[in-house]
Amino acid sequence: MRYWLIKSEPDAYSIDDLARDKTTPWTGIRNYQARNFMRDQMKVGDQAFFYHSNCDEPAIVGITEVSATAYPDATQFDRKHKYFDEKATRETPRWLHVDFRFVKKTKPVTLAELRGHKSLAKMQLLARGNRLSITPVDPDAWKYILTLMK
DNA sequence: GCCAACGTTGGC
DNA sequence: GCCAACGTTGGC
């Protein structure tokens, strides 16, 4: 069982949206590294921090769990969809995604706060220039961040 | 709104 | 295979 951090812009899809929906297909990932994490490594039961990006106060705001392993992203086949990909076919889909289930909302742990903890300095989220929307979180960092939510 | 950092595309 | 140009991300 692994730990992850997934980013979402709250204007597009927030932790409250997930709380309402209970589970959601994580469609629209169009980055190979992020896709490969989902396709090759994510298992049902893996846990992930839900992070709000590109907003007033970037922060981890909740916890989610993988509820379905990777399957083809339907939006890549939809000619009218923003995420349509003309190079993808049903036989050889290019993009896949998992489903996430809502676990809980937490006290926000802001990006600024995360940066203040030396033991978290190696987190990929905090790496210079990081833009990846799905990053692994190592178990020690996971446990440490849980204590910051208390 | 700015801009640094990064990924992708496409000409050669 | 190289690399310039371009588009996107996301903090500030």
Side-chain angles (χ1 to χ4, degrees), chain A residues 109-122:
Chain A
V109 180
T110 66
L111 179 60
E113 184 177 359
L114 292 169
R115 288 199 192 284
H117 291 271
K118 230 182 288 170
S119 58
L120 299 176
K122 292 200 312 281

Side-chain angles (χ1 to χ4, degrees), chain A residues 5-126:
Chain A
L5 182 144
I6 61 173
K7 293 184 192 173
S8 187
E9 302 192 7
D11 287 348
Y13 196 82
S14 71
I15 189 71
D16 291 322
D17 293 324
L18 182 59
R20 177 199 62 215
D21 295 343
K22 307 299 182 208
T23 168
T24 195
W26 208 244
T27 54
I29 299 297
R30 294 294 182 271
N31 170 283
Y32 290 105
Q33 247 185 298
R35 179 204 67 182
N36 293 349
F37 283 142
M38 291 196 285
R39 186 191 61 191
D40 304 335
Q41 298 191 32
M42 283 194 190
K43 299 279 198 306
V44 171
D46 279 12
Q47 299 212 295
F49 289 131
F50 193 102
Y51 176 89
H52 281 170
S53 67
N54 203 10
C55 55
D56 285 350
E57 187 153 77
I60 294 171
V61 293
I63 294 176
T64 72
E65 175 176 292
V66 175
S67 59
T69 50
Y71 59 99
D73 185 334
T75 65
Q76 72 193 302
F77 307 124
D78 179 355
R79 194 162 282 282
K80 293 187 295 291
H81 200 281
K82 160 184 185 196
Y83 289 120
F84 174 70
D85 184 339
E86 63 181 7
K87 294 193 181 133
T89 65
R90 303 248 173 213
E91 294 70 34
T92 55
R94 184 184 276 207
W95 306 110
L96 302 97
H97 64 84
V98 300
D99 290 352
F100 285 107
R101 169 170 52 221
F102 178 74
V103 175
K104 62 178 176 182
K105 258 179 100 164
T106 63
K107 177 165 93 70
V109 180
T110 66
L111 179 60
E113 184 177 359
L114 292 169
R115 288 199 192 284
H117 291 271
K118 230 182 288 170
S119 58
L120 299 176
K122 292 200 312 281
M123 278 189 84
Q124 203 169 334
L125 174 74
L126 305 181

